[in-house]
Amino acid sequence: MGRLTGGDPSLLRRINSAVVLHALRGSDALTLTDLTRVTGLSRPTVEGVTEGLIEGGLVVESAPEEGEARRQGRPARRFRFRAEAGHLLGIEIGPHRVAALISGLDGRIIGAGSREVDEAAPEDERLDRVRAVVADVLRRTGVPRSNLRAVGVGTPGIVEADGTVRLGTALPGWTGLALGERLRRSFRCPVIVENDANAAAVAEHWKGAATDSDDIVFVLAGLSPGAGSLIGGRLHRGYGGAAGEIGALHLLGRGVTPEHLLSRTDEPLHPLDEQAVAEVFALARQGDAAAEAAVERFIQRLVHDVAALVLALDPELVVIGGWAAGLDGVLQPLREELARFCLRPPRVALSLLGEAAVGTGALRLALDHVEEQLFAVDGTVSARR
């Protein structure tokens, strides 16, 4: 199905199909009577729509329940949504690893895989690693590549609507890379490319720490921090896709970069050296004075960055993710400092998805794309305007 338009002669039929399909996807199996009650449509309408969905391969008749089969007479026909009628792929591309998640049309993950990649790897090598991970996940789950309905991708950088990375300093050769075009050569379905922090924000809203909040900021904490935000339940990219680039805030009066702040010596850390960051936090927990001072400096910088977004957006919730997720001592100082600086301090929580956040959000992007087709909706979290 395409998007609904006022001049479409089949508009009513398509609306009815979307309503019935949505009801079936939210249940294990429903009878025609159930569908009539749930949707409010007439029985003849439900029956006709259901037959059409069966012909389209999206619905199948289920076997009668055990109790029904033993009763006299013909049991009521039951129908279920065929989640296996298509599959979705979510891909994470990061400095140190690439990963992929696969699900059916219901968003339930059925397979996953990841591979390490060197932070200095050129773009071709990194993309080859992505293709290898995808091929492995498809092989292990037994899903034909032709069965993929949509692919979502989360990547560092400012991403344009066509999937081109306008600016991407975290990965070699990424600025100007036509990432969407390169990846579409490997698939016969739409490929949706999104900034990694934006994808993670979508993931936390879907399955993580922000399932009950529609106004959130997700902070991908690190030496090159970024943030994604949802306003009123919708992903906010900004006019040119650069919303949330808090890694540039040091240019506005705080010239010291995070790699200097977290250094225990006069030499800055490498911008992509996450292991060195983890060591500084570990030493701070052990009472190392220089490491404690470094962590305190970094937390103050994190507060500065997050407060700027909180003051501008007034979110209900701030979720901290990236390598900072799970590290002791980050949340309470952040709460206290935000209470000092912000007119209405938000709740602060750690990511519940950890390193899976970006890939999970990418999968949700793919699911959003398919839902726009299946359910003819215009209110998905990540739909582009």
Side-chain angles (χ1 to χ4, degrees):
M1 295 181 186
R3 299 173 75 95
L4 296 180
T5 58
D8 191 338
S10 61
L11 176 62
L12 183 58
R13 177 179 58 81
R14 295 172 67 196
I15 291 175
N16 291 340
S17 294
V19 169
V20 170
L21 193 60
H22 196 276
L24 286 170
R25 197 183 72 156
S27 305
D28 291 333
L30 296 176
T31 65
L32 291 175
T33 300
D34 294 332
L35 284 169
T36 299
R37 184 186 71 254
V38 171
T39 64
L41 301 173
S42 69
R43 187 180 181 91
T45 297
V46 168
E47 195 164 10
V49 166
T50 303
E51 292 300 329
L53 292 172
I54 290 174
E55 291 178 8
L58 291 171
V59 171
V60 67
E61 187 170 351
S62 297
E65 294 182 352
E66 186 176 346
E68 285 186 317
R70 293 176 180 173
R71 299 177 194 150
Q72 289 185 341
R74 183 179 178 183
R77 298 172 69 192
R78 289 185 174 274
F79 305 91
R80 70 170 179 85
F81 175 66
R82 291 189 67 237
E84 69 276 15
H87 290 84
L88 311 167
L89 201 62
I91 298 173
E92 172 196 356
I93 304 177
H96 302 281
R97 76 166 199 154
V98 296
L101 301 172
I102 190 168
S103 79
L105 293 179
D106 55 2
R108 296 180 184 178
I109 297 171
I110 61 172
S114 64
R115 293 194 181 188
E116 293 184 356
V117 60
D118 191 275
E119 64 191 35
E123 67 271 25
D124 287 342
E125 180 181 335
R126 199 173 301 272
L127 291 177
D128 284 343
R129 198 65 56 92
V130 169
R131 296 184 186 99
V133 169
V134 169
D136 182 59
V137 169
L138 292 175
R139 177 185 58 79
R140 287 189 287 107
T141 55
V143 174
R145 189 175 293 261
S146 59
N147 200 243
L148 293 174
R149 293 290 187 93
V151 177
V153 183
T155 176
I158 298 172
V159 181
E160 298 181 352
D162 65 354
T164 299
V165 182
R166 181 154 56 90
L167 179 64
T169 58
L171 303 179
W174 228 241
T175 295
L177 178 66
L179 181 58
E181 179 183 333
R182 294 282 297 274
L183 290 176
R184 288 183 190 105
R185 300 172 189 172
S186 301
F187 303 102
R188 301 177 183 176
C189 63
V191 175
I192 304 97
V193 184
E194 185 59 80
N195 167 265
D196 53 359
N198 286 349
V202 169
E204 293 291 340
H205 185 259
W206 182 32
K207 291 189 174 184
T211 55
D212 295 328
S213 303
D214 283 341
D215 292 272
I216 73 166
V217 165
F218 177 91
V219 179
L220 196 61
L223 293 178
S224 181
S229 58
L230 268 62
I231 300 175
R234 295 188 65 86
L235 185 61
H236 177 69
R237 297 180 176 88
Y239 179 75
E245 290 297 323
I246 58 177
L249 282 175
H250 68 277
L251 301 175
L252 304 177
R254 292 208 172 186
V256 181
T257 61
E259 49 265 34
H260 281 87
L261 293 173
L262 272 173
S263 174
R264 297 167 58 245
T265 68
D266 293 333
E267 291 295 320
L269 302 180
H270 189 283
L272 299 178
D273 193 346
E274 296 175 6
Q275 183 59 39
V277 172
E279 290 174 2
V280 172
F281 273 83
L283 288 170
R285 286 195 298 269
Q286 296 168 14
D288 181 276
E292 287 178 340
V295 169
E296 176 62 23
R297 290 194 300 268
F298 180 77
I299 289 177
Q300 290 301 316
R301 166 61 191 274
L302 186 63
V303 169
H304 172 263
D305 292 350
V306 174
L309 284 175
V310 169
L311 288 169
L313 301 178
D314 185 30
E316 177 187 359
L317 174 68
V318 173
V319 181
I320 304 298
W323 55 259
L327 294 177
D328 296 336
V330 173
L331 260 62
Q332 191 55 35
L334 184 55
R335 292 187 182 110
E336 292 173 357
E337 292 300 303
L338 287 177
R340 288 179 55 203
F341 290 115
C342 300
L343 301 177
R344 192 205 60 79
R347 291 189 293 117
V348 182
L350 284 175
S351 166
L352 294 182
L353 299 175
E355 67 176 6
V358 175
T360 302
L363 184 69
R364 180 68 231 192
L365 294 172
L367 181 58
D368 275 354
H369 181 86
V370 170
E371 285 188 345
E372 286 187 86
Q373 298 176 313
L374 295 182
F375 305 128
V377 295
D378 193 35
T380 55
V381 168
S382 56
R384 287 188 183 270
R385 291 302 189 185

